[in-house]
Amino acid sequence: MQTIETISRLRAALKAHKAKGKTIAFVPTMGNLHEGHLTLIDTARIRADIVVSSIFVNPTQFGENEDFDKYPRTLQADQDKLVARGCHYLFTPSVDEMYPNGNTLSVHINSEITELHCGASRPGHFAGVATVVSKLLNIVQPDVAIFGQKDYQQLAVIRQMTADLFLPVQILGVETSRESNGLARSSRNQYLTEQQHETAPLLHDTLKKLAHALSKGADEGKAIAAAKATLSAAGFVIDYLNVVDQTTLQPSDHSAQVILAAALLGDTRLIDNLEFFRP
Ligand code: PAF
């Protein structure tokens, strides 16, 4: 695997492969890689000839009081994991390389998809994500770009952004990777204390029970209130727990629904989601 820090060198390397008709799959990350990221690399290897990943802790998607400074940076360990999974190129640009003119561009998705959920509690977050992902896609110009479904709203935002910009790339979502107890894998799980780590799987467990109840026709308001009470009693501070349409991420009567949830355990913010069908 070659690690490349500049746009010009990465483009030159990929140009040679494209000239030979090779297809490219891209897995953008912020590093501190866990099995969830590596599953995306496995999917990338199946989907294309050449696999490119990136590690860039993007400052524009963090709010002022968020964890940009303490976000774990573990480049050597990440490189070892990527090599073991057969990644071909790792792009590790500096902030100056990605934002040479400072913060001059912001890609704002002006649609209902960004309004609720994380969009409501993390103002500016999705504009930061859409900005950096559009830059990265423009640099790599892959055939397919691969993202985890754990960040359900992020995936919807990226799909909308690529459609609106007519970017010639397929966006592929991969099922959330989970620990054996059901906890969604996340770089932030390592902030949890041992006791919080034992409590954390209750989030997924509660979503499963809620989805089951709603798919059997339970009263939505009561079922959501019961789910919130379960989580609060276990020590979660709920940011949101919303049941919405899988496509618009707004409340609707359609059958294809998703539960989106974010909750704090101590200082650690966990998110998770579960799709289900309403009767
Ligand atoms: O999901 C992430 O790791 C980040 O939001 C992404 C897509 C790499 C953009 O910085």
Side-chain angles (χ1 to χ4, degrees):
M1 183 181 78
Q2 233 179 296
T3 299
I4 295 182
E5 289 170 10
T6 65
I7 296 167
S8 56
R9 284 193 50 224
L10 182 68
R11 280 194 161 151
L14 297 181
K15 196 172 170 189
H17 292 292
K18 286 175 188 170
K20 289 186 204 145
K22 302 285 184 202
T23 54
I24 296 188
F26 178 44
V27 181
T29 81
M30 298 205 298
N32 196 238
L33 304 181
H34 50 68
E35 194 53 33
H37 297 109
L38 301 174
T39 315
L40 305 184
I41 299 290
D42 295 343
T43 305
R45 286 203 62 190
I46 295 166
R47 299 297 292 235
D49 302 315
I50 303 293
V51 176
V52 181
S53 188
S54 62
I55 294 180
F56 179 64
V57 185
N58 172 38
T60 66
Q61 70 187 75
F62 287 81
E64 268 180 25
N65 300 318
E66 293 185 354
D67 56 349
F68 174 72
D69 287 331
K70 77 166 191 170
Y71 201 86
R73 283 141 172 106
T74 51
L75 182 59
Q76 183 60 60
D78 291 345
Q79 284 171 315
D80 294 346
K81 289 175 189 169
L82 289 170
V83 168
R85 294 303 252 263
C87 180
H88 299 100
Y89 292 96
L90 172 62
F91 181 46
T92 56
S94 64
V95 172
D96 283 347
E97 186 75 6
M98 291 300 289
Y99 295 98
N101 306 314
N103 215 349
T104 45
L105 172 78
S106 179
V107 178
H108 176 73
I109 307 297
N110 198 13
S111 105
E112 57 189 8
I113 281 173
T114 58
E115 277 167 22
L116 302 174
H117 329 298
C118 286
S121 47
R122 301 184 70 189
H125 170 67
F126 287 123
V129 170
T131 304
V132 79
V133 173
S134 56
K135 281 172 180 264
L136 287 166
L137 291 177
N138 201 29
I139 293 165
V140 178
Q141 304 197 359
D143 298 276
V144 56
I146 301 173
F147 299 85
Q149 279 176 354
K150 179 175 81 73
D151 298 299
Y152 199 93
Q153 193 174 14
Q154 166 173 285
L155 185 56
V157 165
I158 290 168
R159 285 192 200 283
Q160 177 85 57
M161 179 272 291
T162 49
D164 283 344
L165 287 173
F166 308 107
L167 298 183
V169 59
Q170 184 196 356
I171 302 296
L172 190 68
V174 171
E175 201 182 317
T176 304
S177 170
R178 298 185 182 276
E179 295 180 7
S180 55
N181 56 19
L183 176 63
R185 290 201 164 89
S186 163
S187 300
R188 293 191 168 108
N189 290 355
Q190 67 192 277
Y191 301 151
L192 297 169
T193 63
E194 210 171 304
Q195 200 190 329
Q196 288 167 344
H197 200 271
E198 273 172 33
T199 308
L202 187 68
L203 181 57
H204 179 56
D205 212 43
T206 306
L207 298 198
K208 274 201 306 197
K209 286 187 179 130
L210 177 58
H212 180 74
L214 295 176
S215 65
K216 297 272 174 240
D219 176 90
E220 186 173 306
K222 283 187 189 152
I224 292 177
K228 284 184 173 172
T230 304
L231 291 171
S232 301
F236 285 90
V237 176
I238 298 162
D239 179 358
Y240 60 79
L241 197 162
N242 300 327
V243 177
V244 290
D245 185 284
Q246 285 178 20
T247 308
T248 63
L249 307 193
Q250 300 285 307
S252 91
D253 292 335
H254 292 158
S255 168
Q257 298 279 308
V258 60
I259 308 169
L260 300 177
L264 286 158
L265 257 188
D267 291 335
T268 307
R269 190 169 183 278
L270 302 175
I271 64 170
D272 206 344
N273 63 76
L274 197 60
E275 291 180 338
F276 71 98
F277 290 90
R278 218 186 225 141

Short mmCIF file of all heavy atoms in Angstrom, two decimals, residues 76-130:
data_model
loop_
_atom_site.label_atom_id
_atom_site.label_comp_id
_atom_site.label_asym_id
_atom_site.label_seq_id
_atom_site.Cartn_x
_atom_site.Cartn_y
_atom_site.Cartn_z
N GLN A 76 -0.18 4.84 12.28
CA GLN A 76 0.61 3.63 12.04
C GLN A 76 -0.25 2.36 12.15
O GLN A 76 -0.22 1.49 11.28
CB GLN A 76 1.80 3.57 13.01
CG GLN A 76 2.72 2.38 12.78
CD GLN A 76 3.34 2.37 11.37
OE1 GLN A 76 4.04 3.30 10.99
NE2 GLN A 76 3.06 1.31 10.59
N ALA A 77 -1.05 2.31 13.21
CA ALA A 77 -1.93 1.14 13.41
C ALA A 77 -2.94 1.04 12.26
O ALA A 77 -3.23 -0.05 11.76
CB ALA A 77 -2.65 1.23 14.75
N ASP A 78 -3.46 2.18 11.82
CA ASP A 78 -4.44 2.19 10.71
C ASP A 78 -3.79 1.67 9.43
O ASP A 78 -4.39 0.88 8.69
CB ASP A 78 -4.97 3.60 10.47
CG ASP A 78 -5.84 4.09 11.62
OD1 ASP A 78 -6.27 3.26 12.44
OD2 ASP A 78 -6.10 5.31 11.69
N GLN A 79 -2.55 2.12 9.18
CA GLN A 79 -1.85 1.67 7.96
C GLN A 79 -1.68 0.15 7.99
O GLN A 79 -1.93 -0.53 6.98
CB GLN A 79 -0.48 2.34 7.86
CG GLN A 79 -0.57 3.79 7.41
CD GLN A 79 0.76 4.52 7.52
OE1 GLN A 79 1.45 4.39 8.52
NE2 GLN A 79 1.10 5.28 6.49
N ASP A 80 -1.29 -0.38 9.15
CA ASP A 80 -1.09 -1.84 9.26
C ASP A 80 -2.38 -2.59 8.94
O ASP A 80 -2.39 -3.60 8.23
CB ASP A 80 -0.62 -2.21 10.68
CG ASP A 80 0.77 -1.65 10.98
OD1 ASP A 80 1.45 -1.23 10.02
OD2 ASP A 80 1.15 -1.61 12.16
N LYS A 81 -3.51 -2.07 9.49
CA LYS A 81 -4.80 -2.75 9.26
C LYS A 81 -5.18 -2.69 7.78
O LYS A 81 -5.69 -3.66 7.22
CB LYS A 81 -5.89 -2.08 10.10
CG LYS A 81 -5.74 -2.35 11.58
CD LYS A 81 -6.77 -1.56 12.38
CE LYS A 81 -6.45 -1.68 13.88
NZ LYS A 81 -7.20 -0.77 14.71
N LEU A 82 -4.94 -1.55 7.15
CA LEU A 82 -5.31 -1.41 5.73
C LEU A 82 -4.46 -2.32 4.85
O LEU A 82 -4.96 -2.92 3.90
CB LEU A 82 -5.17 0.06 5.30
CG LEU A 82 -6.21 1.01 5.90
CD1 LEU A 82 -5.84 2.47 5.63
CD2 LEU A 82 -7.60 0.71 5.33
N VAL A 83 -3.17 -2.42 5.18
CA VAL A 83 -2.28 -3.31 4.42
C VAL A 83 -2.79 -4.74 4.54
O VAL A 83 -2.93 -5.46 3.55
CB VAL A 83 -0.82 -3.20 4.94
CG1 VAL A 83 0.04 -4.32 4.36
CG2 VAL A 83 -0.23 -1.85 4.59
N ALA A 84 -3.14 -5.14 5.77
CA ALA A 84 -3.61 -6.52 5.99
C ALA A 84 -4.88 -6.83 5.21
O ALA A 84 -5.12 -7.98 4.84
CB ALA A 84 -3.83 -6.75 7.49
N ARG A 85 -5.70 -5.80 4.93
CA ARG A 85 -6.97 -6.03 4.22
C ARG A 85 -6.84 -5.79 2.71
O ARG A 85 -7.82 -5.86 1.99
CB ARG A 85 -8.08 -5.14 4.77
CG ARG A 85 -8.46 -5.47 6.19
CD ARG A 85 -8.91 -6.93 6.38
NE ARG A 85 -10.32 -7.04 6.61
CZ ARG A 85 -10.89 -7.15 7.80
NH1 ARG A 85 -10.15 -7.19 8.90
NH2 ARG A 85 -12.19 -7.23 7.91
N GLY A 86 -5.62 -5.44 2.26
CA GLY A 86 -5.40 -5.35 0.82
C GLY A 86 -5.75 -4.02 0.19
O GLY A 86 -6.05 -3.93 -1.02
N CYS A 87 -5.74 -2.94 0.98
CA CYS A 87 -5.97 -1.59 0.42
C CYS A 87 -4.74 -1.20 -0.41
O CYS A 87 -3.61 -1.51 -0.04
CB CYS A 87 -6.18 -0.61 1.58
SG CYS A 87 -6.47 1.08 1.05
N HIS A 88 -4.95 -0.53 -1.53
CA HIS A 88 -3.81 -0.19 -2.41
C HIS A 88 -3.23 1.19 -2.14
O HIS A 88 -2.02 1.39 -2.20
CB HIS A 88 -4.25 -0.28 -3.89
CG HIS A 88 -4.71 -1.65 -4.27
ND1 HIS A 88 -6.05 -1.99 -4.35
CD2 HIS A 88 -4.02 -2.77 -4.56
CE1 HIS A 88 -6.16 -3.27 -4.69
NE2 HIS A 88 -4.95 -3.76 -4.83
N TYR A 89 -4.10 2.17 -1.89
CA TYR A 89 -3.62 3.54 -1.65
C TYR A 89 -4.29 4.12 -0.43
O TYR A 89 -5.51 3.95 -0.25
CB TYR A 89 -3.94 4.45 -2.85
CG TYR A 89 -3.15 4.11 -4.08
CD1 TYR A 89 -3.70 3.29 -5.06
CD2 TYR A 89 -1.84 4.58 -4.26
CE1 TYR A 89 -2.98 2.94 -6.19
CE2 TYR A 89 -1.11 4.24 -5.39
CZ TYR A 89 -1.68 3.42 -6.34
OH TYR A 89 -0.96 3.08 -7.44
N LEU A 90 -3.52 4.82 0.38
CA LEU A 90 -4.09 5.58 1.50
C LEU A 90 -3.74 7.05 1.30
O LEU A 90 -2.55 7.40 1.14
CB LEU A 90 -3.50 5.09 2.83
CG LEU A 90 -3.89 5.94 4.05
CD1 LEU A 90 -5.41 5.92 4.28
CD2 LEU A 90 -3.18 5.43 5.32
N PHE A 91 -4.77 7.89 1.28
CA PHE A 91 -4.59 9.34 1.10
C PHE A 91 -4.68 9.99 2.47
O PHE A 91 -5.70 9.84 3.17
CB PHE A 91 -5.69 9.85 0.16
CG PHE A 91 -5.63 11.31 -0.15
CD1 PHE A 91 -4.43 11.94 -0.50
CD2 PHE A 91 -6.79 12.08 -0.13
CE1 PHE A 91 -4.39 13.30 -0.80
CE2 PHE A 91 -6.77 13.43 -0.44
CZ PHE A 91 -5.56 14.04 -0.77
N THR A 92 -3.62 10.69 2.89
CA THR A 92 -3.60 11.33 4.22
C THR A 92 -3.24 12.82 4.06
O THR A 92 -2.13 13.23 4.40
CB THR A 92 -2.55 10.65 5.13
OG1 THR A 92 -1.28 10.69 4.46
CG2 THR A 92 -2.92 9.22 5.45
N PRO A 93 -4.16 13.61 3.54
CA PRO A 93 -3.84 15.03 3.31
C PRO A 93 -3.80 15.82 4.61
O PRO A 93 -4.40 15.42 5.61
CB PRO A 93 -5.03 15.49 2.45
CG PRO A 93 -6.17 14.62 2.89
CD PRO A 93 -5.57 13.30 3.23
N SER A 94 -3.10 16.95 4.57
CA SER A 94 -3.12 17.88 5.71
C SER A 94 -4.36 18.77 5.56
O SER A 94 -5.02 18.79 4.51
CB SER A 94 -1.87 18.76 5.69
OG SER A 94 -1.92 19.56 4.52
N VAL A 95 -4.66 19.54 6.61
CA VAL A 95 -5.78 20.49 6.52
C VAL A 95 -5.49 21.52 5.42
O VAL A 95 -6.39 21.87 4.64
CB VAL A 95 -6.02 21.17 7.90
CG1 VAL A 95 -7.05 22.28 7.78
CG2 VAL A 95 -6.47 20.14 8.93
N ASP A 96 -4.25 21.96 5.30
CA ASP A 96 -3.92 22.95 4.26
C ASP A 96 -4.10 22.38 2.85
O ASP A 96 -4.46 23.09 1.92
CB ASP A 96 -2.47 23.44 4.41
CG ASP A 96 -2.34 24.43 5.54
OD1 ASP A 96 -3.39 24.92 6.02
OD2 ASP A 96 -1.20 24.70 5.97
N GLU A 97 -3.80 21.08 2.71
CA GLU A 97 -3.96 20.46 1.38
C GLU A 97 -5.45 20.43 0.98
O GLU A 97 -5.80 20.68 -0.16
CB GLU A 97 -3.40 19.02 1.44
CG GLU A 97 -3.36 18.29 0.12
CD GLU A 97 -2.24 18.75 -0.82
OE1 GLU A 97 -1.39 19.57 -0.41
OE2 GLU A 97 -2.22 18.30 -1.98
N MET A 98 -6.31 20.15 1.96
CA MET A 98 -7.76 20.05 1.67
C MET A 98 -8.45 21.41 1.63
O MET A 98 -9.44 21.59 0.94
CB MET A 98 -8.44 19.16 2.72
CG MET A 98 -8.07 17.69 2.63
SD MET A 98 -8.48 16.95 1.03
CE MET A 98 -10.26 16.88 1.12
N TYR A 99 -7.93 22.35 2.43
CA TYR A 99 -8.56 23.68 2.50
C TYR A 99 -7.49 24.75 2.24
O TYR A 99 -7.18 25.55 3.13
CB TYR A 99 -9.21 23.89 3.87
CG TYR A 99 -10.38 22.97 4.15
CD1 TYR A 99 -10.21 21.80 4.90
CD2 TYR A 99 -11.65 23.26 3.67
CE1 TYR A 99 -11.29 20.95 5.15
CE2 TYR A 99 -12.73 22.41 3.92
CZ TYR A 99 -12.54 21.26 4.66
OH TYR A 99 -13.61 20.42 4.91
N PRO A 100 -6.89 24.77 1.02
CA PRO A 100 -5.75 25.67 0.76
C PRO A 100 -6.12 27.15 0.87
O PRO A 100 -5.27 27.97 1.16
CB PRO A 100 -5.33 25.32 -0.68
CG PRO A 100 -6.51 24.62 -1.28
CD PRO A 100 -7.25 23.97 -0.16
N ASN A 101 -7.37 27.46 0.66
CA ASN A 101 -7.79 28.87 0.76
C ASN A 101 -8.59 29.12 2.03
O ASN A 101 -9.36 30.07 2.11
CB ASN A 101 -8.65 29.24 -0.46
CG ASN A 101 -7.92 28.94 -1.75
OD1 ASN A 101 -6.75 29.27 -1.88
ND2 ASN A 101 -8.58 28.26 -2.67
N GLY A 102 -8.41 28.25 3.01
CA GLY A 102 -9.22 28.37 4.23
C GLY A 102 -10.61 27.83 3.96
O GLY A 102 -10.83 27.03 3.05
N ASN A 103 -11.54 28.35 4.73
CA ASN A 103 -12.88 27.80 4.69
C ASN A 103 -13.75 28.54 3.66
O ASN A 103 -14.79 29.09 4.00
CB ASN A 103 -13.47 27.96 6.10
CG ASN A 103 -14.36 26.80 6.45
OD1 ASN A 103 -14.69 26.00 5.58
ND2 ASN A 103 -14.75 26.71 7.70
N THR A 104 -13.33 28.54 2.39
CA THR A 104 -14.01 29.37 1.40
C THR A 104 -15.25 28.71 0.79
O THR A 104 -16.09 29.38 0.23
CB THR A 104 -13.05 29.73 0.24
OG1 THR A 104 -12.38 28.53 -0.12
CG2 THR A 104 -12.08 30.80 0.64
N LEU A 105 -15.30 27.37 0.90
CA LEU A 105 -16.41 26.65 0.26
C LEU A 105 -17.19 25.88 1.31
O LEU A 105 -16.61 25.22 2.16
CB LEU A 105 -15.87 25.65 -0.76
CG LEU A 105 -16.91 24.70 -1.36
CD1 LEU A 105 -17.74 25.40 -2.42
CD2 LEU A 105 -16.24 23.47 -1.96
N SER A 106 -18.53 26.00 1.25
CA SER A 106 -19.34 25.14 2.10
C SER A 106 -20.46 24.56 1.25
O SER A 106 -21.22 25.31 0.63
CB SER A 106 -19.89 25.94 3.28
OG SER A 106 -20.68 25.10 4.07
N VAL A 107 -20.56 23.24 1.20
CA VAL A 107 -21.61 22.59 0.42
C VAL A 107 -22.78 22.34 1.37
O VAL A 107 -22.72 21.47 2.23
CB VAL A 107 -21.09 21.27 -0.19
CG1 VAL A 107 -22.20 20.56 -0.96
CG2 VAL A 107 -19.90 21.54 -1.09
N HIS A 108 -23.80 23.15 1.22
CA HIS A 108 -24.95 23.05 2.13
C HIS A 108 -26.10 22.34 1.41
O HIS A 108 -26.52 22.78 0.34
CB HIS A 108 -25.37 24.46 2.56
CG HIS A 108 -26.60 24.46 3.41
ND1 HIS A 108 -26.57 24.02 4.72
CD2 HIS A 108 -27.88 24.80 3.15
CE1 HIS A 108 -27.78 24.11 5.22
NE2 HIS A 108 -28.60 24.57 4.30
N ILE A 109 -26.58 21.26 1.97
CA ILE A 109 -27.71 20.53 1.37
C ILE A 109 -28.98 21.21 1.86
O ILE A 109 -29.35 21.10 3.03
CB ILE A 109 -27.73 19.04 1.79
CG1 ILE A 109 -26.39 18.38 1.51
CG2 ILE A 109 -28.86 18.30 1.10
CD1 ILE A 109 -25.96 18.33 0.09
N ASN A 110 -29.64 21.87 0.92
CA ASN A 110 -30.80 22.67 1.28
C ASN A 110 -32.06 21.82 1.17
O ASN A 110 -32.91 22.09 0.35
CB ASN A 110 -30.83 23.85 0.29
CG ASN A 110 -31.68 24.96 0.79
OD1 ASN A 110 -32.05 24.97 1.96
ND2 ASN A 110 -31.99 25.89 -0.08
N SER A 111 -32.12 20.75 1.98
CA SER A 111 -33.30 19.87 1.86
C SER A 111 -33.69 19.37 3.24
O SER A 111 -32.92 19.44 4.20
CB SER A 111 -33.02 18.70 0.91
OG SER A 111 -32.82 17.52 1.62
N GLU A 112 -34.90 18.81 3.31
CA GLU A 112 -35.43 18.33 4.59
C GLU A 112 -34.55 17.25 5.22
O GLU A 112 -34.60 17.04 6.43
CB GLU A 112 -36.86 17.80 4.38
CG GLU A 112 -36.94 16.71 3.34
CD GLU A 112 -38.38 16.32 2.97
OE1 GLU A 112 -39.33 16.99 3.40
OE2 GLU A 112 -38.51 15.33 2.24
N ILE A 113 -33.72 16.58 4.40
CA ILE A 113 -32.89 15.49 4.92
C ILE A 113 -31.95 15.96 6.03
O ILE A 113 -31.61 15.21 6.94
CB ILE A 113 -32.10 14.85 3.75
CG1 ILE A 113 -33.01 13.92 2.98
CG2 ILE A 113 -30.87 14.11 4.22
CD1 ILE A 113 -32.40 13.36 1.74
N THR A 114 -31.53 17.22 5.97
CA THR A 114 -30.56 17.70 6.97
C THR A 114 -31.23 18.36 8.19
O THR A 114 -30.55 18.72 9.14
CB THR A 114 -29.60 18.73 6.35
OG1 THR A 114 -30.39 19.81 5.83
CG2 THR A 114 -28.75 18.15 5.26
N GLU A 115 -32.57 18.50 8.13
CA GLU A 115 -33.23 19.32 9.16
C GLU A 115 -33.24 18.71 10.56
O GLU A 115 -32.93 19.37 11.54
CB GLU A 115 -34.68 19.59 8.75
CG GLU A 115 -34.83 20.74 7.80
CD GLU A 115 -36.23 20.74 7.20
OE1 GLU A 115 -37.15 20.15 7.80
OE2 GLU A 115 -36.38 21.34 6.11
N LEU A 116 -33.65 17.44 10.63
CA LEU A 116 -33.89 16.82 11.95
C LEU A 116 -32.68 16.01 12.41
O LEU A 116 -31.62 16.06 11.80
CB LEU A 116 -35.12 15.89 11.85
CG LEU A 116 -36.42 16.54 11.40
CD1 LEU A 116 -37.50 15.48 11.22
CD2 LEU A 116 -36.87 17.58 12.41
N HIS A 117 -32.87 15.28 13.52
CA HIS A 117 -31.88 14.32 14.01
C HIS A 117 -30.52 15.01 14.28
O HIS A 117 -30.50 16.05 14.93
CB HIS A 117 -31.75 13.13 13.04
CG HIS A 117 -33.03 12.80 12.31
ND1 HIS A 117 -34.17 12.42 12.98
CD2 HIS A 117 -33.38 12.86 10.99
CE1 HIS A 117 -35.15 12.23 12.10
NE2 HIS A 117 -34.69 12.49 10.90
N CYS A 118 -29.42 14.43 13.74
CA CYS A 118 -28.11 15.05 13.98
C CYS A 118 -28.04 16.45 13.39
O CYS A 118 -27.30 17.31 13.88
CB CYS A 118 -26.99 14.19 13.39
SG CYS A 118 -26.66 12.70 14.33
N GLY A 119 -28.80 16.69 12.32
CA GLY A 119 -28.80 18.03 11.70
C GLY A 119 -29.29 19.08 12.67
O GLY A 119 -28.82 20.23 12.65
N ALA A 120 -30.25 18.70 13.55
CA ALA A 120 -30.79 19.67 14.52
C ALA A 120 -29.83 19.86 15.68
O ALA A 120 -29.67 20.97 16.18
CB ALA A 120 -32.14 19.18 15.03
N SER A 121 -29.16 18.78 16.11
CA SER A 121 -28.33 18.92 17.31
C SER A 121 -26.87 19.25 16.99
O SER A 121 -26.12 19.61 17.90
CB SER A 121 -28.43 17.68 18.19
OG SER A 121 -28.28 16.53 17.42
N ARG A 122 -26.46 19.12 15.73
CA ARG A 122 -25.07 19.45 15.37
C ARG A 122 -25.09 20.43 14.18
O ARG A 122 -24.76 20.07 13.05
CB ARG A 122 -24.30 18.17 14.99
CG ARG A 122 -24.27 17.13 16.09
CD ARG A 122 -23.42 15.93 15.69
NE ARG A 122 -22.00 16.24 15.62
CZ ARG A 122 -21.06 15.42 15.13
NH1 ARG A 122 -21.41 14.23 14.65
NH2 ARG A 122 -19.80 15.77 15.10
N PRO A 123 -25.44 21.70 14.44
CA PRO A 123 -25.56 22.66 13.34
C PRO A 123 -24.23 22.75 12.56
O PRO A 123 -23.17 22.82 13.16
CB PRO A 123 -25.87 24.00 14.03
CG PRO A 123 -26.07 23.71 15.47
CD PRO A 123 -25.65 22.31 15.76
N GLY A 124 -24.32 22.73 11.25
CA GLY A 124 -23.11 22.86 10.41
C GLY A 124 -22.41 21.54 10.14
O GLY A 124 -21.57 21.44 9.24
N HIS A 125 -22.77 20.50 10.90
CA HIS A 125 -22.06 19.21 10.75
C HIS A 125 -22.18 18.66 9.33
O HIS A 125 -21.17 18.29 8.70
CB HIS A 125 -22.62 18.21 11.76
CG HIS A 125 -22.13 16.80 11.55
ND1 HIS A 125 -20.83 16.44 11.73
CD2 HIS A 125 -22.78 15.67 11.14
CE1 HIS A 125 -20.69 15.14 11.45
NE2 HIS A 125 -21.85 14.66 11.09
N PHE A 126 -23.41 18.63 8.79
CA PHE A 126 -23.58 18.00 7.48
C PHE A 126 -23.02 18.86 6.35
O PHE A 126 -22.63 18.32 5.31
CB PHE A 126 -25.04 17.62 7.25
CG PHE A 126 -25.45 16.43 8.08
CD1 PHE A 126 -26.51 16.50 8.96
CD2 PHE A 126 -24.73 15.24 7.99
CE1 PHE A 126 -26.86 15.39 9.73
CE2 PHE A 126 -25.07 14.13 8.76
CZ PHE A 126 -26.14 14.21 9.64
N ALA A 127 -22.98 20.16 6.55
CA ALA A 127 -22.32 21.00 5.53
C ALA A 127 -20.83 20.66 5.50
O ALA A 127 -20.22 20.56 4.43
CB ALA A 127 -22.54 22.48 5.85
N GLY A 128 -20.24 20.44 6.68
CA GLY A 128 -18.82 20.04 6.75
C GLY A 128 -18.59 18.70 6.09
O GLY A 128 -17.63 18.52 5.33
N VAL A 129 -19.50 17.75 6.33
CA VAL A 129 -19.36 16.41 5.72
C VAL A 129 -19.51 16.52 4.20
O VAL A 129 -18.69 15.99 3.44
CB VAL A 129 -20.42 15.43 6.30
CG1 VAL A 129 -20.45 14.14 5.49
CG2 VAL A 129 -20.15 15.14 7.76
N ALA A 130 -20.57 17.23 3.75
CA ALA A 130 -20.82 17.32 2.31
C ALA A 130 -19.65 18.04 1.61
O ALA A 130 -19.26 17.68 0.49
CB ALA A 130 -22.13 18.06 2.04
#
